[in-house]
Amino acid sequence: MGRNIFQSDKPIGMIKAVRAIVHENASVDEAYEIYQKGPVGL
């Protein structure tokens, strides 16, 4: 999963989305929303 996160256009959003799924039981739609709100780049 690491390379997919860091090669993503929005790695911070991706990390937050994965964290929401794992720790907060977020749905896929909620996680995608979190990902979309993430800043572009690091």
Side-chain angles (χ1 to χ4, degrees):
M1 186 166 32
R3 185 181 332 149
N4 292 328
I5 290 175
F6 291 106
Q7 288 181 348
S8 169
D9 291 340
K10 299 177 181 180
I12 294 171
M14 178 86 74
I15 291 168
K16 288 181 176 182
V18 170
R19 181 181 58 83
I21 290 173
V22 172
H23 295 292
E24 301 169 12
N25 286 334
S27 70
V28 173
D29 292 331
E30 292 169 332
Y32 186 67
E33 233 177 88
I34 292 168
Y35 167 75
Q36 289 296 319
K37 291 180 183 176
V40 175
L42 285 176

